[in-house]
Amino acid sequence: MADAAQHHAPAALKPYLSDEEVNEICDPLTQPHAQIRYLRSLGVAVSRKPNGRALVGRAAFDRVMAGAAPEAANESTSPEVGTQPDHTALQQLFTKKRKHGTQAKIG
C-alpha cells in the first residue's frame, strides 16, 4: 500500500507548462501555431520550442490567469520616464546640415 501512495505522488513541477497542459488549455486547438496564437491572445508570453510547440513559463501563465497584467520578457519593472517623443531632438536631427558620401569630401 505504501508503494501505491508513492506511485501517485505528484512530480515536481517544471518552470514551464508541459505539452499536455498546453493541449488542455487550448482545447480544441491542436496545431502548435494556433495554440501559440490563442495563448498570446490571452496575454501570455509564449516562445516557440525547436519542435514548433508552445513554450510557456508557468509563473507567467499563473500571473495572467490570476488577473495581473502580462509582463514582457525583456521589459524592466521600473516606471517609464518620458513616454512622449522629444520633439526638439527630432527637429534638431532633421535640421542638422550633414554631408553624406562624396559631398563630405568636396566641401
Side-chain angles (χ1 to χ4, degrees), residues 12-18 55-60:
L13 293 177
K14 294 183 179 180
Y16 52 87
L17 298 180
S18 68
L55 178 62
V56 181
R58 186 172 302 280

Side-chain angles (χ1 to χ4, degrees), residues 2 21 23 32 47 60 62 65 71 76-77 107:
E21 289 172 309
N23 289 340
S47 297
D62 290 343
M65 290 296 103
E71 294 181 15
S76 66
T77 57

